[in-house]
Amino acid sequence: MDIQSLSAAHSYASARPATKPGPAPEGAALGGAFQDFASTLRQSEALSQSAMTGQADPHALVQALAQTELAVETAVTVRNKVVEAYQEILRMPV
């Protein structure tokens, strides 16, 4: 057997674990997105309530409402993509 082939096999064996995905917490990114969405809604609601009593700046209220609108539109778009993917899976022949 050739020394180069042994060296190549050894290099491949040592590099192989680096290509395997590491353990990732399940749903960490999705959970963080849900928490961000919920915190955006809570902040906007609190700012809206304080604006009703005259304690908040109208400009800050408009910014909070724009952020909330963007968050809701993003959530609806993601939901629609998930439903579309699910329907596509259901149409697949078995």
Side-chain angles (χ1 to χ4, degrees), residues 65-88:
L65 291 176
Q67 285 179 338
T68 303
E69 182 181 7
L70 182 62
V72 169
E73 286 177 3
T74 303
V76 168
T77 302
V78 168
R79 184 217 47 194
N80 289 344
K81 291 289 183 181
V82 168
V83 168
E84 183 180 320
Y86 178 73
Q87 289 174 346
E88 189 67 28

Side-chain angles (χ1 to χ4, degrees), residues 9-92:
H10 178 66
S11 296
Y12 175 74
S14 65
R16 189 171 182 184
T19 60
K20 291 182 182 178
E26 295 181 20
L30 192 58
F34 287 140
Q35 289 175 352
D36 290 344
F37 177 73
S39 69
T40 300
L41 293 180
R42 275 194 297 271
Q43 290 173 355
S44 178
E45 185 177 348
L47 193 60
S48 297
Q49 288 175 353
S50 63
M52 282 188 246
T53 60
Q55 298 173 352
D57 181 33
H59 182 69
L61 176 64
V62 171
Q63 280 184 326
L65 291 176
Q67 285 179 338
T68 303
E69 182 181 7
L70 182 62
V72 169
E73 286 177 3
T74 303
V76 168
T77 302
V78 168
R79 184 217 47 194
N80 289 344
K81 291 289 183 181
V82 168
V83 168
E84 183 180 320
Y86 178 73
Q87 289 174 346
E88 189 67 28
I89 289 171
L90 287 178
R91 283 189 226 123
M92 288 181 171

